[in-house]
Amino acid sequence: MRPAFMSAMWLCCVCCVGLCASRINWRDEVLPKFRLLTNPYAGQPVAAQAGGKLFSRYCAQCHGRDGNGLRRAPSLRSRELKGASAGELFWLLRNGNLRDGMPSWSHLPDEQRWQIVTWLQTGN
Amino acid sequence: MQPICRVLACALAFASCLGAADAPYFVTYSHRMEEPGNLELALDGTTGSPKGGNTFVNSLLEIEYGVKAWWTTEVYLSGQSTAAEGALFTGYRWENRFRPLMHEHWINPVLYVEFADTNGADKSLKEIVGHDGMTDQAEPTSISRLERKRELETKLILSSNFKGWNISENIIAEKNLTNEPWEFGYAAGVSRPLALAASPTPCRLCRENFRAGVELYGGLGTRREFGLHDTSHYIAPTIAWQSPNGLTIAISPSFGLNGNSYRTLLRFSVGFEWSQFGRMRTK
């Protein structure tokens, strides 16, 4: 009984380490329904301006004022983010990337998250 | 009343140099975690007048740190001042919150574990469990301070965000580490910002910076006597204002819903959040 228990414990440890070590690209995790979302504020300069204000308040501390990234947070001008759809960015703000240190911003209303997406897409 | 005024004055002075949580809740927890690397200092006050007892002000100094995006740790230092009975330090609490699911769901669970080492004079009323009631607080400080409480508290936090609304429910189980039965309690809250979209211009007093809500909390008896009999319950409207620079001020009058509860309690909080405090230190 005891060796079986130890083996099971080892297996659990190996699985945990494996799960922690694996890095899944966040875009692969976006649900299809989010990919298809359209930004209700797309092309609205006022919304982009509000999004810029929200970015300074919530995002700039990690990503830098200009979004070029700081030591522990990536640049928002990367090819990956430039290629992301509005719905994918909205999903990322809603869920964050908790394993990699990006918090969830789901407590912000949808409208404010779309404003940030608008700013990201016009600023980028 | 003089010591209370002094405590309030100190709290306000402290408030002017501090900045806290953005949910307007005082008792209920939502699934919002502290951003990793951020440090938040807050001063939470509770004041009330028990029937047959003296008016008190309890102050909690709250130090919260985001260790990971899914793990927040927090230390509370608690003290209270009771009219005609003096002021004293009543103990500390150390809490940890873990978010087990890495994505946002319709209902988001958070696991909460707290160890508290306080004495019987603690009047923070941070949670109401078991048969907690107004009469517990009416005992003179000189007697109640002799009782030492070492408690383990666990909570299952369930929380949802939907169209700007936050709906949170907490199920509380608390165990005094001496030979006392588990005590149970609940807390639930609903809140919403006054404006859903942000204005394009910088502003301090615009509606988007205010969040209003209501909390309902109370005890559910013990393992041996589970139920609503001889428990206390409160309803508390609450409002919070968060300035763009990290300062948060919140206030909430609580109204007792039965004879075991205080008729009214007033809670207030002033806090400040330092962004990326951990990273500033490592530079």
Side-chain angles (χ1 to χ4, degrees):
Chain A
M1 190 67 188
R2 207 168 197 186
F5 177 74
M6 290 303 288
S7 307
M9 290 300 288
W10 274 111
L11 189 63
C12 282
C13 290
V14 169
C15 289
C16 288
V17 169
L19 280 173
C20 294
S22 63
R23 283 280 176 271
I24 304 161
N25 187 318
W26 67 268
R27 282 180 74 182
D28 297 334
E29 298 184 76
V30 180
L31 298 176
K33 69 172 183 180
F34 280 93
R35 285 184 212 279
L36 299 174
L37 290 177
T38 51
N39 183 353
Y41 296 121
Q44 296 182 22
V46 175
Q49 200 182 337
K53 185 181 88 169
L54 294 170
F55 179 89
S56 314
R57 182 167 172 177
Y58 298 116
C59 317
Q61 52 180 283
C62 291
H63 292 284
R65 284 181 184 279
D66 51 7
N68 277 329
L70 294 174
R71 205 150 55 107
R72 285 178 64 179
S75 168
L76 301 177
R77 299 179 188 283
S78 65
R79 190 177 293 174
E80 188 191 9
L81 278 172
K82 277 182 181 172
S85 68
E88 286 175 323
L89 291 173
F90 182 79
W91 181 93
L92 181 62
L93 287 173
R94 179 176 184 266
N95 290 274
N97 191 350
L98 303 190
R99 282 187 210 97
D100 286 342
M102 159 101 179
S104 157
W105 295 98
S106 66
H107 59 280
L108 293 180
D110 290 358
E111 288 78 357
Q112 294 188 20
R113 274 182 275 137
W114 280 122
Q115 287 175 321
I116 296 173
V117 170
T118 310
W119 184 83
L120 284 173
Q121 293 203 309
T122 50
N124 276 333
Chain B
M1 285 299 282
Q2 257 188 351
I4 290 169
C5 295
R6 229 176 292 147
V7 170
L8 277 174
C10 289
L12 287 172
F14 187 55
S16 63
C17 62
L18 284 184
D22 60 38
Y25 305 133
F26 281 83
V27 176
T28 315
Y29 283 83
S30 72
H31 68 295
R32 177 158 188 214
M33 312 295 277
E34 187 60 78
E35 285 89 49
N38 283 15
L39 178 79
E40 182 187 307
L41 271 182
L43 188 73
D44 296 345
T46 304
T47 180
S49 297
K51 218 183 275 176
N54 293 316
T55 304
F56 68 86
V57 178
N58 192 95
S59 301
L60 274 181
L61 176 64
E62 180 185 335
I63 305 159
E64 185 180 62
Y65 184 70
V67 185
K68 300 278 181 195
W70 47 268
W71 173 18
T72 296
T73 189
E74 200 163 353
V75 173
Y76 292 93
L77 302 175
S78 180
Q80 61 102 327
S81 173
T82 304
E85 294 176 28
L88 75 158
F89 174 71
T90 54
Y92 72 93
R93 293 151 187 264
W94 177 39
E95 71 173 48
N96 286 281
R97 280 176 279 144
F98 303 97
R99 195 173 155 169
L101 303 181
M102 294 291 120
H103 288 150
E104 193 75 10
H105 297 271
W106 180 240
I107 295 174
N108 301 281
V110 173
L111 305 175
Y112 173 109
V113 184
E114 178 191 285
F115 173 74
D117 187 350
T118 56
N119 64 40
D122 183 54
K123 295 179 178 176
S124 58
L125 301 169
K126 193 81 180 107
E127 64 282 312
I128 305 292
V129 290
H131 299 290
D132 288 353
M134 181 175 57
T135 47
D136 303 337
Q137 315 287 336
E139 203 170 39
T141 302
S142 55
I143 297 169
S144 58
R145 69 187 298 177
L146 301 175
E147 183 196 359
R148 188 154 186 199
K149 290 181 183 173
R150 284 188 172 147
E151 291 166 330
L152 179 72
E153 184 184 315
T154 58
K155 283 180 190 170
L156 174 63
I157 298 164
L158 302 171
S159 168
S160 315
N161 287 321
F162 181 69
K163 293 190 182 293
W165 290 88
N166 173 264
I167 302 161
S168 298
E169 309 87 32
N170 300 174
I171 301 152
I172 309 166
E174 188 178 283
K175 174 90 174 81
N176 191 322
L177 296 178
T178 56
N179 193 21
E180 284 184 28
W182 282 89
E183 296 177 294
F184 301 100
Y186 70 92
V190 180
S191 70
R192 182 188 187 275
L194 297 191
L196 296 179
S199 61
T201 49
C203 55
R204 284 184 187 278
L205 292 175
C206 41
R207 288 190 303 152
E208 77 211 40
N209 291 336
F210 287 89
R211 204 171 173 101
V214 65
E215 287 183 277
L216 183 70
Y217 54 92
L220 291 173
T222 65
R223 190 173 65 85
R224 290 177 198 146
E225 292 173 76
F226 189 81
L228 298 177
H229 175 69
D230 198 24
T231 55
S232 58
H233 304 270
Y234 296 88
I235 189 164
T238 171
I239 188 157
W241 169 75
Q242 187 180 28
S243 90
N245 66 4
L247 177 76
T248 304
I249 296 173
I251 192 160
S252 169
S254 299
F255 302 100
L257 296 176
N258 62 8
N260 290 327
S261 320
Y262 286 92
R263 277 183 67 178
T264 54
L265 286 170
L266 181 68
R267 297 180 190 267
F268 54 91
S269 167
V270 184
F272 189 83
E273 189 168 305
W274 277 277
S275 297
Q276 302 308 297
F277 177 82
R279 291 165 205 182
M280 283 190 316
R281 274 188 63 243
T282 55
K283 273 183 187 170

